[in-house]
Amino acid sequence: MREFNKNQQNNCNSGICAEKRIMLLLVIAIVLICTATLLLSVNTGFCGSKENDAAFDFSSPPKTRIQLTPDLSFGGRVELEYQLEKNFHLDAEDCNHTAVWKPSASMAFSYACTEKSTAFLNIELSQSIEENKEDNETMLELQQAFLSFTQIIDGLDMIIGRQRFRDKREWLYDEELDGVNLSYGFSDFALDFSVNRKPNKDILNHKKNKKVTNYLLYGRYTPGSDTIIGAYNFFQDDRGSANKSSIFYGLHLSGEMIHSLKYWLELAHVRGRSKSNKIRGIGFDLGSTYKLDLPLRPSITLGCAFGSGDDDPLDNENNNFRQTGLQDNSAKFNGVTHLKYYGEMFDPELSNLVILTAGFGL
């Protein structure tokens, strides 16, 4: 957090300070772009996120395409977000507007330690600048920092450290977590096992973390290039004040049923205990996208999602389905970027809900 004294307030109001910070960030952007233009003559480098097939995925780190040394490469990205809230409190007599600027700069480094091991680092500096506000929050976040090892033995890979865990539809998780991930693949089969915790990524502002440990065992079979059949157990052990433990038994199916008709299915049953209450719930998400053989690649999407609810809150059994708390509920519908498929404005957790989806895209 940054504090302004009285002299600073007299000499520099919020609007001027915001403009100076934005100009500084633009200068940084120009420097990075010029550097990339001069040095970008190599092939694509290592990226810290697996399965990053979206053209625009700002949750992923910058790709390290700029070669600094034979073993060290670099990547950078600068963003500027602007949010305007007009009469947010719906008070006609006091129509206060709020404008928030959020500049950020993300840098990533990858270093080839050996032929089979790589070190990766991604840090991000950002600031939230709200007009007419003296204390604007500055954040320096350690997004990812890990060591990856390939082919420890035939088919076995391992990643240790802060890394991004993400499934195809981000229904289970999409989060940077501290932990270890083991992946073993053979033929068309693969098996993942991971143990992780959610960290406090902000280096400047220390916050107390929840003591929740996640254990995941995920097996998948890919008989075709787009077809995935997966099953998993996801166990969450909360040793904090909630004293809650839950285990998810899940199934994932996705692929192409017939030509141009893609489908997906997420199905999970959650069991566990929260203090003296049993947890029992079921949820699913089923849908398909059909691509028409016309110019501009038009497509039609239909989907249905369900999360069970609890009809008797006074008994000792909670039948509300709940997601892991690490989910993002984001995927592509035959497009180039991810969208929140349960709603961009509401963006709910799938619990005690039925959601019907109909979409058309070009």
Side-chain angles (χ1 to χ4, degrees):
M1 301 293 288
R2 178 177 297 175
E3 297 183 357
F4 291 90
N5 59 34
K6 292 183 178 180
N7 292 331
Q8 287 176 315
Q9 293 179 29
N10 293 332
N11 295 330
C12 179
N13 59 31
S14 300
I16 296 175
C17 288
E19 291 178 2
K20 288 184 177 180
R21 295 188 186 96
I22 295 168
M23 287 300 297
L24 177 61
L25 202 58
L26 290 176
V27 172
I28 296 174
I30 293 171
V31 171
L32 287 175
I33 292 171
C34 292
T35 304
T37 304
L38 292 173
L39 299 178
L40 189 56
S41 59
V42 296
N43 57 357
T44 301
F46 178 80
C47 180
S49 300
K50 292 184 176 181
E51 301 179 2
N52 181 28
D53 56 352
F56 303 102
D57 183 5
F58 294 111
S59 298
S60 65
K63 288 183 171 62
T64 53
R65 293 190 174 99
I66 304 171
Q67 206 80 25
L68 301 179
T69 70
D71 297 323
L72 178 64
S73 55
F74 166 79
R77 180 176 65 230
V78 175
E79 299 178 36
L80 179 61
E81 298 180 16
Y82 176 72
Q83 178 178 335
L84 175 63
E85 296 177 352
K86 303 184 69 174
N87 192 17
F88 185 74
H89 300 289
L90 303 179
D91 187 350
E93 297 181 357
D94 185 16
C95 275
N96 290 328
H97 302 331
T98 301
V100 180
W101 296 86
K102 187 176 181 180
S104 63
S106 180
M107 294 178 291
F109 300 87
S110 63
Y111 180 74
C113 307
T114 65
E115 291 183 356
K116 295 185 177 181
S117 62
T118 302
F120 184 82
L121 174 69
N122 176 216
I123 56 176
E124 181 174 305
L125 177 65
S126 64
Q127 187 173 44
S128 180
I129 305 169
E130 184 176 338
E131 292 184 4
N132 303 320
K133 184 179 179 181
E134 297 176 2
D135 297 331
N136 293 299
E137 184 178 19
T138 301
M139 300 178 68
L140 178 62
E141 294 183 309
L142 180 61
Q143 298 283 358
Q144 296 189 30
F146 61 80
L147 287 171
S148 66
F149 303 90
T150 59
Q151 297 298 312
I152 299 174
I153 59 174
D154 189 23
L156 179 64
D157 300 337
M158 179 173 64
I159 302 179
I160 302 175
R162 184 167 303 174
Q163 54 193 287
R164 186 183 182 189
F165 290 86
R166 172 174 175 258
D167 62 289
K168 186 175 180 62
R169 287 183 52 80
E170 300 175 4
W171 199 71
L172 188 61
Y173 52 23
D174 178 26
E175 192 71 58
E176 283 86 14
L177 304 171
D178 289 341
V180 57
N181 184 70
L182 296 171
S183 299
Y184 182 68
F186 57 96
S187 184
D188 296 329
F189 296 88
L191 187 65
D192 292 342
F193 174 74
S194 63
V195 180
N196 51 64
R197 277 188 175 184
K198 188 173 182 179
N200 173 29
K201 294 186 288 186
D202 191 357
I203 300 174
L204 301 180
N205 305 300
H206 296 283
K207 298 178 182 179
K208 191 174 181 180
N209 295 333
K210 295 182 178 179
K211 298 179 180 179
V212 182
T213 305
N214 309 301
Y215 303 86
L216 174 68
L217 181 63
Y218 200 120
R220 59 186 181 275
Y221 172 58
T222 54
S225 58
D226 294 327
T227 303
I228 300 175
I229 303 173
Y232 60 85
N233 283 344
F234 187 87
F235 175 63
Q236 287 186 307
D237 186 16
D238 187 349
R239 296 297 179 90
S241 58
N243 192 20
K244 179 177 67 174
S245 63
S246 56
I247 184 168
F248 297 78
Y249 301 93
L251 175 68
H252 168 87
L253 298 175
S254 63
E256 194 170 52
M257 187 178 301
I258 57 175
H259 180 64
S260 298
L261 179 62
K262 292 188 175 182
Y263 68 92
W264 71 85
L265 169 65
E266 299 285 358
L267 175 64
H269 171 57
V270 58
R271 301 174 65 90
R273 181 170 293 275
S274 177
K275 296 182 179 179
S276 60
N277 293 328
K278 294 180 181 179
I279 297 174
R280 301 288 187 271
I282 189 170
F284 68 82
D285 187 334
L286 172 66
S288 63
T289 297
Y290 181 66
K291 295 186 294 183
L292 302 173
D293 189 15
L294 295 171
L296 300 181
R297 298 174 60 192
S299 62
I300 299 172
T301 297
L302 297 175
C304 177
F306 166 82
S308 63
D310 187 24
D311 57 358
D312 187 2
L314 299 179
D315 63 8
N316 292 328
E317 185 170 298
N318 188 341
N319 297 118
N320 281 304
F321 179 73
R322 72 285 314 280
Q323 294 184 266
T324 62
L326 305 173
Q327 77 283 344
D328 206 19
N329 293 336
S330 176
K332 297 189 299 181
F333 290 163
N334 191 41
V336 296
T337 186
H338 283 69
L339 57 89
K340 300 284 189 180
Y341 48 74
Y342 291 155
E344 289 285 349
M345 296 184 66
F346 182 32
D347 188 23
E349 178 182 358
L350 187 61
S351 178
N352 193 32
L353 286 173
V354 176
I355 301 175
L356 301 178
T357 298
F360 176 76
L362 294 175

